């Protein structure tokens, strides 16, 4: 008998609570994904990520206090093993290269299908 698959622990960081709720619901339709924490700004996210050590961080770019681009290297330092997916409403052609240079593993624009988001999380966590 095979061992049950370990859940992928996901952390959500977005300044819009309703978008975090929607994203959480979309992710947790997959029993292999578990949202372990959330934050509304980069500063709070870094502190929580250091404590929770998620496998994957979904990070918005437009946030108060510390934006996603500024938070990105801090997130990578706080949880070196975490994979970071920038999940933003800013068009990829404008900032994707910068996000990847600062340590993001992937860039997804908001509006992607739930299936595509879950697929990317599985890919980066593998």
């Amino acid at each position: 008998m095979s061992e049950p698959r370990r859940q992928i622990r996901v952390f959500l960081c977005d300044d819009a609570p309703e978008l975090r709720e929607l994203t959480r619901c979309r992710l947790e339709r997959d029993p292999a994904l578990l949202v372990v924490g959330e934050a509304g700004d980069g500063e709070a996210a870094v502190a929580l990520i250091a404590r929770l050590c998620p496998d994957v961080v979904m990070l918005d770019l437009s946030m108060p206090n510390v934006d996603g681009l500024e938070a990105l290297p801090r997130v990578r330092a706080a949880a070196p093993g975490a994979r970071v997916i920038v999940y933003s409403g800013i068009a990829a052609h404008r900032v994707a290269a910068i996000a990847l240079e600062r340590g993001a593993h992937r860039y997804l624009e908001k509006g992607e299908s739930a299936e595509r988001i879950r697929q990317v999380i599985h890919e980066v966590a593998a």
Side-chain angles (χ1 to χ4, degrees):
M1 182 162 33
S2 67
E3 224 177 272
R5 201 162 99 184
R6 184 181 75 81
Q7 283 185 307
I8 298 169
R9 297 166 38 87
V10 181
F11 187 92
L12 303 176
C13 186
D14 194 301
D15 62 328
E18 62 280 356
L19 288 176
R20 290 195 312 267
E21 173 70 21
L22 176 62
T23 303
R24 182 179 348 96
C25 290
R26 295 169 98 189
L27 296 182
E28 290 186 339
R29 288 186 184 139
D30 180 339
L33 302 178
L34 175 65
V35 175
V36 296
E38 300 179 17
D41 67 73
E43 188 173 333
V46 172
L48 287 168
I49 289 165
R51 195 178 79 215
L52 297 171
C53 299
D55 301 307
V56 175
V57 174
M58 295 198 59
L59 182 65
D60 185 22
L61 293 182
S62 298
M63 296 181 296
N65 299 328
V66 174
D67 70 27
L69 286 177
E70 187 179 346
L72 188 49
R74 295 180 192 183
V75 166
R76 300 281 292 134
R83 312 296 283 177
V84 180
I85 299 170
V86 170
Y87 183 54
S88 182
I90 299 173
H93 71 275
R94 291 183 51 210
V95 293
I98 296 167
L100 294 170
E101 285 172 9
R102 292 192 182 181
H105 296 90
R106 292 292 278 278
Y107 191 99
L108 280 175
E109 287 185 39
K110 290 180 181 172
E112 290 279 355
S113 71
E115 181 178 305
R116 176 70 180 139
I117 295 166
R118 291 189 297 262
Q119 174 189 4
V120 169
I121 291 171
H122 281 280
E123 288 172 3
V124 301

